[in-house]
Amino acid sequence: IAHACRCSSWIREGSPVKPRLIGAGDRIGFEFDATLERGQPSVFERLVSTHTSRDPDTDSVERGCLEDVRGAEGGAYGVRRRLHVQAWQRRWDRADIQVEGPEEDQQAIRFAVFQMIQHSPPHNLLVSIAAKGLSGEGYRGHVFWDTEIFMLPFFVAADPPAARRLLRYRCATIEGAQRKAQSLGYQGAMFAWESAATGAETCPSFVTDPRTRESV
């Protein structure tokens, strides 16, 4: 995984302010120091690019990130934002669910739809939807049966290619499911309660008592 960051600023009737790197180790950031008049329009931007070795047609994650943020086109937040809005509009055109009733109900449904669209793997057949989504650290990114039981029906209707990728993940990890079945004396395949890259069972066989710290 690689990241590249580009910071820029714009101040009406003033010179752009260069960012200053602050922090050290695993906690770093950028700081802008400017003196502004009341009501003086100003813009401070940070554009971050992320690439992984699993991205299609990527031979260098570092070069891919740098190419994204370099140059007038790559470093323009407005350009990236417009492309982002267009991409999401295409997805909403396929997946939006509209209901009659209180506005809060419509908002709740769209929030759930947004979460599922955001979590679905766009191109990799070895990735499914983790129990805590993209940002939750719980369960270490493991995949539960809940993906197929509760979320797959939505993708079948709203995004069939995504539904196919979710099922292909299970096909790709079938050997791990077969080993679990064999370890329990069964034929066929038994998918893991907590599955990761190989499909092997990653659910712990014990829990730690929070009071005694003993394994039970």
Side-chain angles (χ1 to χ4, degrees):
I1 301 176
H3 302 284
C5 177
R6 174 171 176 166
C7 295
S8 61
S9 65
W10 173 85
I11 301 176
R12 177 174 291 180
E13 298 179 355
S15 300
V17 179
K18 293 184 178 181
R20 183 173 64 89
L21 181 64
I22 59 175
D26 59 356
R27 295 186 65 84
I28 60 174
F30 292 96
E31 181 179 74
F32 291 95
D33 187 356
T35 301
L36 306 175
E37 300 293 335
R38 182 186 298 272
Q40 184 178 10
S42 306
V43 178
F44 301 91
E45 297 178 350
R46 183 179 65 175
L47 180 69
V48 179
S49 172
T50 302
H51 281 251
T52 79
S53 58
R54 288 185 170 183
D55 294 342
D57 303 324
T58 297
D59 55 0
S60 171
V61 293
E62 179 181 353
R63 183 165 59 249
C65 287
L66 293 176
E67 289 176 352
D68 280 349
V69 299
R70 283 175 172 167
E73 182 77 4
Y77 170 80
V79 173
R80 296 295 177 179
R81 184 181 187 278
R82 183 170 64 253
L83 295 175
H84 173 85
V85 170
Q86 292 173 351
W88 268 99
Q89 187 59 55
R90 290 192 295 269
R91 305 190 81 172
W92 277 114
D93 289 342
R94 297 195 307 265
D96 189 23
I97 299 174
Q98 299 183 25
V99 298
E100 296 181 358
E103 180 63 27
E104 291 80 2
D105 293 351
Q106 180 69 77
Q107 186 179 39
I109 288 178
R110 283 179 169 156
F111 180 75
V113 170
F114 163 75
Q115 293 291 337
M116 288 191 288
I117 292 176
Q118 180 176 243
H119 296 163
S120 64
H123 51 69
N124 196 299
L125 301 181
L126 297 180
V127 178
S128 185
I129 299 179
K132 293 289 186 177
L134 291 176
S135 56
E137 296 181 358
Y139 302 116
R140 301 180 180 179
H142 294 164
V143 180
F144 283 54
W145 300 342
D146 306 50
T147 298
E148 287 80 23
I149 295 175
F150 298 111
M151 290 181 278
L152 182 62
F154 165 80
F155 290 106
V156 169
D159 192 348
R164 186 179 298 110
R165 287 191 293 271
L166 293 176
L167 295 178
R168 290 287 297 274
Y169 166 80
R170 293 299 185 182
C171 294
T173 57
I174 190 69
E175 293 183 1
Q178 291 171 332
R179 288 193 297 270
K180 179 178 180 180
Q182 293 170 4
S183 69
L184 297 174
Y186 297 105
Q187 297 179 346
M190 184 177 183
F191 287 105
W193 176 244
E194 291 187 39
S195 177
T198 66
E201 180 62 76
T202 56
C203 182
S205 58
F206 62 89
V207 295
T208 301
D209 189 307
R211 294 172 298 177
T212 65
R213 310 306 298 173
E214 295 181 350
S215 298
V216 294

